[in-house]
Amino acid sequence: MMISLGIDFGTSGARAVAIDATGETLAEAKHIFTGAELATAPAQWQTGLFCLLEQLPLELRQKIEAIAIDGTSSTVLLCDATGNPIVAPLLYNDDRGIAVMEELRAIAPPHHVAIGATSSLAKLLWWQKKAEGAEEAEEEKPRATNHQPLATSHSPDSRLPTPSQEEIYFLHQADWLSFLLHGQLGVSDYHNALKLGYDVEQLCYPDWLLKLLLKLPALPNLPQILAPGTPVGEVTAEVRSRFGLPQGCVVRAGTTDSIAAFLASGANSPGEAVTSLGSTLVLKLLSQTRVEDAQSGIYSHRLGDLWLTGGASNTGGAVLRHFFTDAELETLSGQIDPDRESLLDYYPLLKAGDRFPINDPHLPPRLEPRPENPVEFLHGLLESMARIEARGYQLLQQLGATPLRCVYTAGGGAKNAVWSQIRARHLGVPVAQSAHAEAAYGTALLAQISC
Ligand code: ADP
């Protein structure tokens, strides 16, 4: 039977899930990064990837027909023509792109999703600006003698690339990891490329970005963009023999970790949504229409012929964790009557400011009055977060998204059955746990399509 492998590179570690044609999980593997590993990245990502493959039983590996990889959104790197990283990667949450916000606003249309300090495009421009700055410094100091050594894959650093720019490739984490398997440099997917400025509706780089490339011919090569799940190429002969993969095992274009988590939920038709109750509250609603409101942090990923529209609030589990341990959350929740509405009306935040569903950078946390009874306080927090979630879905629908039909739940809060009942009361639709908790499962489904 045909086996597909999904590999997920999330914020804290990497996971692999192998499934059969019916979607049954056959094997799983895990590789957790330490903090230092995340910072120095590519060599460790490579170790993680190979370690995941080695953990799978050989008999299973010999039957894998398709592989796809997801990575954290906007984690990017530059590499030379042989795929060797030549600078340290910029991770998903690296906001040094704040230094190029003016340039970004000057080139991209107003409120474009790529205008953000952590976007892939901001990171590309930041590298470009750094390279220009270094060139100018070189010109100003003609007698400088200390040439930079050529960085290798084992010692990427944050200095500037030394190969000529035509040989430099700009890639996302998932693109580079996939390259390690199929050996084709310069290929990405339109989920990873959304925040690079790629036009996911017209399926091309937009004119404003092409103009930038003409103006700055020294920019690194941007990847060719494919639909997620498109076959890119077979695994290289070296990878095939090292891991015992079969002839014809194909690597498909990947996706981002959060979209992989959505795919894993089982949601697949318009009106189905996934709420992630992790440290923050993240909403994703599958819609027939595209919804964009950059100021509120609302944007849409393309998912085949549909749109995955969503937004993220700063409320969520981090606030719960501030007041309660996970064990307390469990026992105290058990004492809440989910059918009785708490009249406590909070806006639970750890510090001022939210973008969605209320776009106000100064929005103050509202956590008063605080009852002495911790069960009542927790009830008020869960009820208030449920109100914010419902308001978020209402906003997406007001902006034109397909009406909500049901909500799957992922993340640490998904196991709280009492909270699910409170949320169902506010949402007015059924609330269920995601079918699969692992993003890697969603990526395995992506690898499976049209196999
Ligand atoms: P992230 O990946 O965003 O860090 P997780 O998905 O691991 O978050 O979820 C962790 C969060 O889940 C914590 O902030 C914690 O407060 C919350 N959490 C844990 N157990 C429960 C529970 N029983 N009810 C509600 N929230 C919970």
Side-chain angles (χ1 to χ4, degrees):
M1 184 179 299
M2 127 119 225
I3 295 176
S4 310
L5 181 66
I7 297 176
D8 161 55
F9 273 72
T11 49
S12 59
R15 288 180 159 75
V17 170
I19 61 170
D20 67 16
T22 68
E24 192 185 330
T25 298
L26 302 177
E28 292 181 82
K30 194 157 64 165
H31 179 85
I32 301 299
F33 298 123
T34 65
E37 276 181 328
L38 273 176
T40 51
Q44 281 77 19
W45 299 345
Q46 178 168 347
T47 307
L49 174 65
F50 290 172
C51 171
L52 288 176
L53 288 168
E54 272 157 11
Q55 283 178 53
L56 300 170
L58 180 60
E59 326 71 88
L60 182 137
R61 275 187 257 154
Q62 287 166 337
K63 294 186 202 135
I64 294 174
E65 287 183 32
I67 303 175
I69 301 181
D70 73 75
T72 48
S73 178
S74 292
T75 292
V76 293
L77 73 165
L78 295 177
C79 57
D80 66 18
T82 61
N84 269 342
I86 51 173
V87 287
L90 297 181
L91 300 188
Y92 63 98
N93 57 354
D94 191 312
D95 67 355
R96 67 189 89 180
I98 204 130
V100 296
M101 290 303 286
E102 220 172 284
E103 288 90 328
L104 262 181
R105 288 203 186 91
I107 57 164
H111 309 310
H112 194 280
V113 63
I115 303 175
T118 60
S119 76
S120 300
L121 185 57
K123 287 163 179 155
L124 175 72
L125 292 185
W126 184 82
W127 268 320
Q128 172 66 20
K129 195 168 179 172
K130 206 168 170 218
E132 283 168 4
E135 262 171 36
E136 279 165 22
E138 271 306 300
E139 280 164 21
E140 280 164 24
K141 290 190 224 158
R143 284 187 294 153
T145 52
N146 53 333
H147 295 291
Q148 280 177 358
L150 188 73
T152 70
S153 61
H154 302 298
S155 61
D157 58 25
S158 58
R159 285 169 298 187
L160 297 164
T162 46
S164 76
Q165 294 280 342
E166 309 91 72
E167 295 167 22
I168 297 177
Y169 288 80
F170 176 90
L171 294 177
H172 303 91
Q173 181 186 37
D175 312 337
W176 185 75
L177 286 160
S178 301
F179 154 79
L180 295 179
L181 300 183
H182 58 53
Q184 297 186 34
L185 210 49
V187 183
S188 187
D189 63 86
Y190 60 58
H191 290 161
N192 273 296
L194 182 75
K195 291 183 184 173
L196 180 56
Y198 186 76
D199 184 337
V200 296
E201 200 148 350
Q202 301 301 322
L203 297 177
C204 59
Y205 281 110
D207 285 346
W208 59 265
L209 196 49
L210 295 175
K211 273 189 205 144
L212 178 75
L213 299 182
L214 287 175
K215 211 170 107 193
L216 299 172
L219 270 184
N221 294 304
L222 297 190
Q224 177 200 354
I225 309 299
L226 302 176
T230 306
V232 177
E234 290 184 16
V235 292
T236 62
E238 195 189 334
V239 169
R240 199 173 61 227
S241 70
R242 174 166 175 181
F243 297 104
L245 297 166
Q247 188 93 34
C249 174
V250 73
V251 182
R252 291 173 176 264
T255 182
T256 64
D257 60 343
S258 59
I259 295 184
F262 180 89
L263 297 174
S265 72
N268 58 16
S269 59
E272 293 188 323
V274 175
T275 298
S276 293
L277 298 175
S279 304
T280 56
L281 174 74
V282 184
L283 275 49
K284 288 192 195 303
L285 169 59
L286 199 52
S287 170
Q288 271 153 332
T289 42
R290 183 178 189 178
V291 174
E292 303 283 321
D293 180 8
Q295 276 164 322
S296 305
I298 298 172
Y299 60 88
S300 298
H301 272 287
R302 185 174 182 151
L303 212 60
D305 295 333
L306 299 172
W307 296 95
L308 190 51
T309 176
S313 167
N314 293 338
T315 195
V319 185
L320 296 177
R321 190 160 270 175
H322 181 74
F323 294 106
F324 303 103
T325 64
D326 287 3
E328 285 169 338
L329 286 174
E330 209 162 316
T331 49
L332 297 175
S333 295
Q335 297 168 52
I336 294 172
D337 174 3
D339 297 325
R340 185 180 61 81
E341 176 163 15
S342 166
L343 298 179
L344 293 166
D345 184 20
Y346 299 144
Y347 203 103
L349 296 171
L350 287 180
K351 58 179 185 161
D354 205 3
R355 276 184 91 187
F356 172 86
I358 298 180
N359 179 22
D360 177 358
H362 307 295
L363 186 75
R366 197 170 64 238
L367 290 158
E368 299 287 337
R370 181 169 172 177
E372 273 181 24
N373 182 341
V375 177
E376 272 181 50
F377 181 48
L378 177 62
H379 191 173
L381 288 171
L382 299 180
E383 189 96 37
S384 301
M385 288 185 196
R387 287 189 197 109
I388 294 169
E389 181 187 7
R391 191 168 171 176
Y393 282 119
Q394 269 162 18
L395 180 59
L396 295 176
Q397 292 167 86
Q398 275 162 17
L399 291 170
T402 299
L404 186 69
R405 287 198 296 114
C406 73
V407 177
Y408 294 93
T409 317
K415 59 178 174 286
N416 190 326
V418 168
W419 198 5
S420 295
Q421 288 176 61
I422 295 173
R423 292 170 51 229
R425 178 155 49 72
H426 283 278
L427 292 166
V429 297
V431 171
Q433 274 204 31
S434 282
H436 296 272
E438 296 293 354
Y441 184 92
T443 306
L445 289 178
L446 190 65
Q448 196 185 52
I449 56 170
S450 70
C451 284

